[in-house]
């Protein structure tokens, strides 16, 4: 039987040896060799989550399975959660593949998909995988919330003007180079004097501040709306999908969690000018 293999690792799993791409490849090749199957192609998605089907190689594999001249009869994965951790995607894509005469097989969770018992077992494995993923996400969010309440960093880059510093297992902000701190103060000062994002960006670019950097209005406005410069840590502010702000009641704010670059007076003055400019639009 001709098969294709699908290998996937998410960004948080990159360092796990048993889930690495080479480890998956070795297991799949050995499994296919033992059964006399021929692997005709390999599809690999690195740093991709299986909670959605937005994976380039996964979609290429599904498209290949729908071609009339396809030359494989099965998709071989290390575990079913490599294929998907979303139950709906499991059902939809496996039904689509079944119409094409293609089955999805696991090297470490062998089932007999054409039998009632095999179908039941496979479904149970998929449900368990989705439960594990949802529970892990819940526990991760709970941990990040507690971290934010204590005023520590919850991931991502430090804002311009700050650097990340680790103390034990916790990460926080410390002041960056003096030049960057001075630029942040200058941006807020100009905003408090009534200058908008475009005008501030143009001024900094014309003055070459700092050398080699090009500013745009959206970056300036992001800085002016970032409470981190007051020394406050704000978490859960943005929605994951649309990038919009959540209701302020859902924000987790930890005041004085790190050194401030600007004081409340200049912050309030800048916010007032920004508000007045929005009213004029």
């Amino acid at each position: 039987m001709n098969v294709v293999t699908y290998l996937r690792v998410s960004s948080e799993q990159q360092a796990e040896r048993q889930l690495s791409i080479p480890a998956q490849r070795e297991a799949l090749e050995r499994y296919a060799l033992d059964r006399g199957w021929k692997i005709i192609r390999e599809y690999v998605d690195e740093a991709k989550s299986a909670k959605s089907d937005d994976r380039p190689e996964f979609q290429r594999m599904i498209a290949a399975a729908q071609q009339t001249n396809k030359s494989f009869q099965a998709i071989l994965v290390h575990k079913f959660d490599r294929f998907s951790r979303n139950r709906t995607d499991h059902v939809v894509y496996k039904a689509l593949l079944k119409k094409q005469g293609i089955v999805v097989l696991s090297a470490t969770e062998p089932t007999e998909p054409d039998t009632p018992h095999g179908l039941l077992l496979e479904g149970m494995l998929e449900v368990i995988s989705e439960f594990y993923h949802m529970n892990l996400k819940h526990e991760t969010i709970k941990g990040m919330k507690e971290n934010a309440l204590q005023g520590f960093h919850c991931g991502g880059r430090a804002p311009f003007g700050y650097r990340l510093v680790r103390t034990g297992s916790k990460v926080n902000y410390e002041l960056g180079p003096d030049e960057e701190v001075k630029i942040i103060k200058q941006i807020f000062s100009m905003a408090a004097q009534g200058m908008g994002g475009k005008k501030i960006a143009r001024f900094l670019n014309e003055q070459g501040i700092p050398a080699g950097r090009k500013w745009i209005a959206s970056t300036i406005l992001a800085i002016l709306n970032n409470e981190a410069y007051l020394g406050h840590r704000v978490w859960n502010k943005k929605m994951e999908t649309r990038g919009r702000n959540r209701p302020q009641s859902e924000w987790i704010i930890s005041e004085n969690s790190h050194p401030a670059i600007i004081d409340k007076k200049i912050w309030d003055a800048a916010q007032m000018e920004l508000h007045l400019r929005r009213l004029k639009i």
Side-chain angles (χ1 to χ4, degrees), residues 49 51-52 133 136-138 140-142 144 154 235-247 250-251:
S49 169
K51 64 184 179 182
S52 81
H133 172 73
L136 180 63
K137 181 179 180 181
H138 173 75
T140 300
I141 291 175
K142 187 167 69 173
M144 292 176 70
C154 290
W235 184 74
N236 205 43
K237 183 176 181 178
K238 294 286 185 181
M239 294 183 179
E240 293 180 6
T241 52
R242 298 181 181 179
R244 299 176 183 174
N245 285 351
R246 299 178 189 274
E250 297 181 19
W251 300 2

Side-chain angles (χ1 to χ4, degrees), residues 117-129:
H117 288 86
L119 185 63
L120 175 61
L121 176 58
E122 190 172 323
M124 290 172 63
L125 289 169
E126 291 163 1
V127 171
I128 291 171
S129 174

Side-chain angles (χ1 to χ4, degrees), residues 117-279:
H117 288 86
L119 185 63
L120 175 61
L121 176 58
E122 190 172 323
M124 290 172 63
L125 289 169
E126 291 163 1
V127 171
I128 291 171
S129 174
E130 185 169 19
F131 166 78
Y132 170 80
H133 172 73
M134 293 178 67
N135 186 61
L136 180 63
K137 181 179 180 181
H138 173 75
E139 291 300 319
T140 300
I141 291 175
K142 187 167 69 173
M144 292 176 70
K145 181 177 180 180
E146 181 60 31
N147 205 48
L149 285 169
Q150 295 178 28
F152 293 110
H153 188 56
C154 290
R157 298 166 57 184
F160 183 82
Y162 287 106
R163 295 294 185 271
L164 297 179
V165 57
R166 179 178 292 276
T167 304
S169 62
K170 301 296 184 180
V171 177
N172 210 332
Y173 296 157
E174 64 177 5
L175 294 178
D178 291 342
E179 181 186 23
E180 291 188 15
V181 172
K182 183 179 178 180
I183 291 170
I184 292 298
K185 291 180 177 179
Q186 186 175 7
I187 288 172
F188 275 91
S189 177
M190 288 189 289
Q193 295 170 31
M195 294 176 65
K198 289 183 179 178
K199 194 170 183 179
I200 295 173
R202 188 184 311 118
F203 173 83
L204 294 176
N205 289 333
E206 289 174 351
Q207 298 297 314
I209 304 174
R213 181 177 182 123
K214 293 297 181 182
W215 296 91
I216 57 176
S218 60
T219 303
I220 299 296
L221 293 176
I223 287 174
L224 293 171
N225 284 290
N226 193 342
E227 295 88 344
Y229 296 111
L230 273 173
H232 302 342
R233 174 86 60 200
V234 180
W235 184 74
N236 205 43
K237 183 176 181 178
K238 294 286 185 181
M239 294 183 179
E240 293 180 6
T241 52
R242 298 181 181 179
R244 299 176 183 174
N245 285 351
R246 299 178 189 274
Q248 194 164 353
S249 60
E250 297 181 19
W251 300 2
I252 294 178
I253 303 175
S254 177
E255 298 186 357
N256 304 315
S257 64
H258 55 268
I261 292 180
I262 60 157
D263 59 33
K264 188 69 164 53
K265 183 179 179 180
I266 193 71
W267 169 272
D268 288 342
Q271 299 310 306
M272 178 59 71
E273 290 296 331
L274 289 173
H275 177 68
L276 293 174
R277 293 184 69 84
R278 284 192 290 266
L279 292 178

